[in-house]
Amino acid sequence: GIHAIEFRSKNFSGILAVKSDLVLEVATLTAWLDPYLAAHSEISVDYVHGEEVIAEKTQEESTLAFLLPIMDKNDLVKTVVREGVLPRKTFSMGAADEKRFYFECSRIVE
């Protein structure tokens, strides 16, 4: 199928349309990104959650953000059966503010 991967930077934004046999958009991006990062040690990746963080980070000249859709939980079994494992940072429950709340609570309790 075709995966639509949104990108944003300070001066540009758009949608990459990528033909892929993989189930998840994140797997399609990772299949390209991992070899690219291996060949370009000066590039780094930061995985973030939330529109506010992306808006802030993309004001920096050297930042390019890829926005990936939330994984449909119905794709979990299909992805594992077809592809073996989920790409890193794929399975994340809830919205960004819920994650922050959970982590804050985790720290308070521990």
Side-chain angles (χ1 to χ4, degrees):
I2 302 293
H3 284 167
I5 300 173
E6 183 180 355
F7 69 91
R8 295 182 195 167
S9 70
K10 184 173 182 174
N11 299 311
F12 300 99
S13 63
I15 304 286
L16 299 172
V18 183
K19 185 176 180 181
S20 179
D21 293 328
L22 300 170
V23 176
L24 302 174
E25 287 84 350
V26 67
T28 298
L29 181 60
T30 300
W32 170 80
L33 190 57
D34 285 352
Y36 184 83
L37 291 171
H40 296 86
S41 60
E42 73 280 6
I43 306 288
S44 65
V45 172
D46 187 13
Y47 294 90
V48 300
H49 295 276
E51 290 281 334
E52 303 83 20
V53 176
I54 292 166
E56 180 183 322
K57 291 282 190 182
T58 54
Q59 291 309 303
E60 301 169 13
E61 289 292 335
S62 62
T63 299
L64 174 64
F66 293 103
L67 288 77
L68 296 163
I70 295 170
M71 180 183 149
D72 182 342
K73 304 310 180 234
N74 295 313
D75 287 339
L76 175 63
V77 173
K78 176 172 64 172
T79 301
V80 172
V81 167
R82 284 186 52 195
E83 298 170 15
V85 296
L86 295 174
R88 70 183 162 283
K89 305 287 186 175
T90 301
F91 197 73
S92 185
M93 301 286 283
D97 58 346
E98 293 167 347
K99 287 178 197 41
R100 196 185 93 231
F101 180 72
Y102 170 78
F103 289 129
E104 287 173 359
C105 288
S106 179
R107 277 184 262 143
I108 292 169
V109 172
E110 292 183 332

